[in-house]
Amino acid sequence: MLFLWLYMFYSCAGSCAGLTTRVSSAPPRSAPPLPPLLPGEPGEESSLEEQRAAPDAGSPISSFFNGSGTKRLPQAIIIGVKKGGTRALLEFLRVHPDVRAVGAEPHFFDRNYERGLAWYRDLMPRTLEGQITMEKTPSYFVTKEAPARISSMSKGTKLIVVVRDPVTRAISDYTQTLSKKPDIPTFESLTFKNRTTGLIDTSWSAIQIGIYAKHLENWLLYFPIGQILFVSGERLISDPAGELGRVQDFLGLKRIITDKHFYFNKTKGFPCLKKAEGSSKPHCLGKTKGRTHPDIDQEVVQRLRDFYRPFNMKFYQMTGQDFGWD
């Protein structure tokens, strides 16, 4: 019996040692290569760093436990216009539980494009399945290269443009600049190339931005008109819930943001949120919004209205909406 036990012990020792040797000598399996982020991809994958750190970060179970979700390229972008009401729209939209948006303006498609899509996506908030990633940079609307660049990222990107009476918008633009540079020339002197002849200086950005029809033509080379939503800056003030309803429909979201979310601040002259995102307190936009405009010579205002009228009419025809600026 003892002999049999010793025989089994030594036989096993030899075979197990051989097995250990064979296993330890096998070369380690290399990890599969990470997929590159190509310009045409919609950005459903997480960044390369995230994949290395947490390869299952995009799974529903992982997202549930770590509350992180996945960083994605935006499916919708507020592309303009400056001083039209883009900040208000973004802050209102962020109340919706299915909207996640970058707070700061990334300026990727106009100033930082050389940094690449991976850099851009890393700026985005993490989202769960069914949530929409958004950003807003108003200067995109007047950037010649922006439509082609956004189309290259994803032809299905939904675009939102907040427009406002171009004369009022120009004065608001000037007011913002004046608050930073009090010594700039008057609005009237900047408006004209020649005050005597009444020739408008269209090279001044405050004037040039308001020629909406001209800028829209560039976007329609890359996106169908139905993929662009035009929000009225005036109605965003007078009827925020109504405009937000249109935006939610456009984005395919349930109409959660309604009248109950707003109250009108008489001091500022525009609506505020009863409860901001992640807060139980009322929220109004900062002191830089709703500045008092300087008094502008009414003759200059009328000249500008005459200048913009044909462009406004063309814009109404292109969008199928009458914004009532005349």
Side-chain angles (χ1 to χ4, degrees):
M1 190 68 174
L2 178 62
F3 175 80
L4 180 60
W5 183 84
L6 291 172
Y7 174 78
M8 292 176 64
F9 175 81
Y10 283 108
S11 297
C12 178
S15 61
C16 291
L19 178 61
T20 303
T21 302
R22 286 193 297 274
V23 171
S24 61
S25 62
R29 294 179 62 189
S30 60
L34 294 170
L37 181 64
L38 300 177
E41 292 181 348
E44 290 299 320
E45 300 83 13
S46 57
S47 68
L48 301 183
E49 291 77 8
E50 292 163 11
Q51 291 184 47
R52 293 189 181 100
D56 64 339
S59 70
I61 295 177
S62 174
S63 297
F64 175 82
F65 282 109
N66 62 30
S68 61
T70 304
K71 290 192 175 187
R72 297 178 174 89
L73 291 170
Q75 297 99 329
I77 303 176
I78 301 174
I79 60 173
V81 297
K82 180 183 179 184
K83 305 311 294 179
T86 59
R87 172 55 61 185
L89 177 61
L90 185 72
E91 293 302 309
F92 295 163
L93 275 174
R94 292 174 77 178
V95 173
H96 200 293
D98 290 333
V99 172
R100 296 299 312 281
V102 184
E105 297 174 2
H107 283 282
F108 175 66
F109 295 103
D110 56 355
R111 302 178 190 171
N112 296 301
Y113 194 63
E114 72 286 349
R115 292 177 179 264
L117 283 172
W119 176 88
Y120 181 48
R121 186 175 59 187
D122 195 51
L123 299 178
M124 299 299 129
R126 295 178 183 273
T127 55
L128 302 177
E129 191 67 30
Q131 291 183 319
I132 291 177
T133 303
M134 292 187 66
E135 71 115 318
K136 76 105 175 171
T137 304
S139 53
Y140 289 163
F141 189 64
V142 297
T143 299
K144 187 176 181 180
E145 298 82 7
R149 289 172 174 177
I150 294 177
S151 177
S152 178
M153 176 187 72
S154 174
K155 295 182 183 298
T157 305
K158 292 185 177 182
L159 308 172
I160 300 175
V161 187
V162 188
V163 289
R164 181 184 184 186
D165 181 334
V167 178
T168 308
R169 196 222 65 83
I171 297 172
S172 180
D173 198 334
Y174 172 80
T175 303
Q176 182 182 54
T177 305
L178 184 65
S179 69
K180 299 175 182 178
K181 302 177 181 179
D183 58 342
I184 61 171
T186 64
F187 180 87
E188 290 83 353
S189 63
L190 291 169
T191 297
F192 299 101
K193 280 188 176 180
N194 189 314
R195 181 72 181 267
T196 304
T197 61
L199 183 63
I200 303 294
D201 188 355
T202 56
S203 66
W204 185 28
S205 63
I207 300 296
Q208 201 259 350
I209 289 172
I211 309 176
Y212 303 139
K214 174 185 174 183
H215 304 302
L216 181 56
E217 286 177 344
N218 189 31
W219 287 90
L220 293 181
L221 296 175
Y222 298 90
F223 293 93
I225 192 70
Q227 209 166 308
I228 308 174
L229 179 70
F230 300 91
V231 174
S232 166
E234 286 82 13
R235 287 196 294 270
L236 195 59
I237 294 174
S238 64
D239 181 20
E243 285 301 279
L244 264 294
R246 294 179 60 240
V247 176
Q248 290 171 96
D249 291 346
F250 175 71
L251 295 175
L253 298 169
K254 183 179 179 180
R255 284 200 178 195
I256 290 178
I257 307 172
T258 62
D259 280 323
K260 67 181 181 181
H261 288 91
F262 301 98
Y263 73 94
F264 192 81
N265 185 304
K266 293 182 179 180
T267 302
K268 283 184 170 290
F270 53 75
C272 301
L273 290 168
K274 290 182 180 178
K275 292 182 181 180
E277 179 196 24
S279 173
S280 60
K281 298 180 179 180
H283 172 67
C284 278
L285 298 179
K287 62 182 181 179
T288 61
K289 307 300 179 182
R291 293 187 184 95
T292 301
H293 292 178
D295 291 329
I296 306 297
D297 186 331
Q298 286 306 300
E299 180 188 352
V300 174
V301 171
Q302 189 56 51
R303 290 278 188 93
L304 277 175
R305 294 207 176 282
D306 294 340
F307 166 77
Y308 279 121
R309 187 169 293 109
F311 296 109
N312 291 344
M313 294 300 107
K314 184 176 181 180
F315 186 65
Y316 296 171
Q317 292 175 345
M318 295 171 76
T319 62
Q321 292 180 239
D322 186 339
F323 292 90
W325 296 325
D326 296 285

